Amino acid sequence: PTVGLPPGGNPGEKLAVQWLGDADGPWSQEVSLPKKLIRRDAMHDGMVAAVPVRDGVAAAEPVPLRLTPLPVSREAEPNDQPEKCPTVPAAAAVWGQLQKPGDVDWVRFEAAKGSKWSVRAWGRRLGSPIDLTLNAYRDDAKRQRITGNDDSAGPDSAMTVTVPAEGSFLVRVSDHQDRGGEAFVWWIELAEVKPAVHVAVPPARTKSQQRLIAQVPRGNRMALLVNASRTDFRGDLLPHLTGLPAGVQVTATPLPGNSPSSLLVFEAAA
């Protein structure tokens, strides 16, 4: 099999998964999702490697399932027109199928006016053949398009939407080539965009371990470069390190809002 229904769930949940794509047809299996994603079970980016088993025989390849803390719901048909689509309070995860060629699915999301939301989609990463395309529209009579995306999240799609005055917006899910079928499964997650900063030591150009760790000789010093990746935040930063070994101190240079990098200088007593 290539894809499961549902294609994901919450940590620790037991799912009755229907496996699709096998030459002998679909079948159901109870799958226990892990409470915490560990490397042995993970595929990438919050994906669980689930192994389908049929008549005591395990599949040669695992099938990816999405693990999310968000409340999960399934699309409600008929939803091929915005007037008939279900309403889902943000934040949430929703999944469904493009069941036939030319099929489209609409979902209405409710959120506070002016709030900003990340809309991320999974399709190919779940094993689905879908070439997933997202479009967001205002939830009013004119249904003006707000934004859209195709393939910014690798083979899948992602976009950022600011909620208009209506306190809701519409998301249209489709296949880029208007295809459809049982295995054309999609999954979208709506999470609020909040200011965030991720500070890390960049890897060496040679992909080695060189200068990833501060090795400070006694009575000497060493500098490490750190990069800051920002989300919806442009303020100045000053790195502050705690829990250093006895006899070691660090001096950090500021990270202005217009600068991606800073230096940390470690010094060790003799």
Side-chain angles (χ1 to χ4, degrees):
T2 56
V3 67
L5 286 182
N10 299 130
E13 183 179 3
K14 289 186 177 181
L15 290 178
V17 178
Q18 184 183 36
W19 300 118
L20 304 176
D22 188 81
D24 282 340
W27 82 93
S28 294
Q29 175 188 344
E30 186 177 88
V31 175
S32 296
L33 297 179
K35 294 182 180 179
K36 187 178 180 180
L37 200 60
I38 57 177
R39 182 172 297 179
R40 181 186 64 202
D41 301 324
M43 299 192 81
H44 56 81
D45 189 26
M47 308 288 281
V48 177
V51 179
V53 178
R54 185 175 201 167
D55 299 329
V57 179
E61 293 287 340
V63 174
L65 297 176
R66 172 69 179 162
L67 196 67
T68 179
L70 299 172
V72 180
S73 62
R74 183 176 184 173
E75 62 160 335
E77 296 284 358
N79 63 342
D80 55 349
Q81 297 293 332
E83 297 85 0
K84 303 176 182 179
C85 70
T87 300
V88 180
V94 185
W95 65 274
Q97 295 165 281
L98 300 181
Q99 298 173 335
K100 58 185 179 181
D103 190 15
V104 298
D105 289 330
W106 291 80
V107 183
R108 176 182 291 104
F109 288 104
E110 289 184 333
K113 168 188 171 182
S115 58
K116 184 180 289 188
W117 295 84
S118 166
V119 185
R120 301 173 65 199
W122 283 258
R124 295 279 182 89
R125 289 176 289 177
L126 296 169
S128 170
I130 189 173
D131 186 358
L132 201 152
T133 301
L134 291 177
N135 284 282
Y137 299 85
R138 293 193 66 156
D139 188 16
D140 58 14
K142 293 183 178 180
R143 296 197 180 95
Q144 182 181 0
R145 183 175 179 271
I146 301 172
T147 186
N149 182 254
D150 177 29
D151 294 347
S152 75
D156 296 320
S157 303
M159 60 185 180
T160 301
V161 180
T162 300
V163 182
E166 297 83 52
S168 61
F169 61 94
L170 299 163
V171 172
R172 182 181 183 267
V173 182
S174 61
D175 179 81
H176 185 66
Q177 303 173 58
D178 290 330
R179 299 170 302 157
E182 184 181 54
F184 282 71
V185 175
W186 56 265
W187 172 289
I188 57 177
E189 290 184 16
L190 188 75
E192 189 169 7
V193 176
K194 296 181 179 179
V197 178
H198 178 72
V199 180
V201 178
R205 291 184 179 179
T206 57
K207 303 298 182 183
S208 70
Q209 299 296 310
Q210 184 180 10
R211 301 192 75 81
L212 285 179
I213 298 172
Q215 298 173 310
V216 193
R218 295 181 181 181
N220 211 323
R221 62 177 63 90
M222 177 193 179
L224 279 184
L225 178 71
V226 292
N227 287 347
S229 174
R230 305 163 188 259
T231 302
D232 262 35
F233 174 72
R234 294 293 178 267
D236 297 342
L237 298 172
L238 181 63
H240 177 66
L241 276 70
T242 60
L244 293 168
V248 176
Q249 64 180 17
V250 63
T251 302
T253 58
L255 253 168
N258 59 356
S259 173
S261 304
S262 175
L263 279 178
L264 301 177
V265 180
F266 296 84
E267 298 182 72

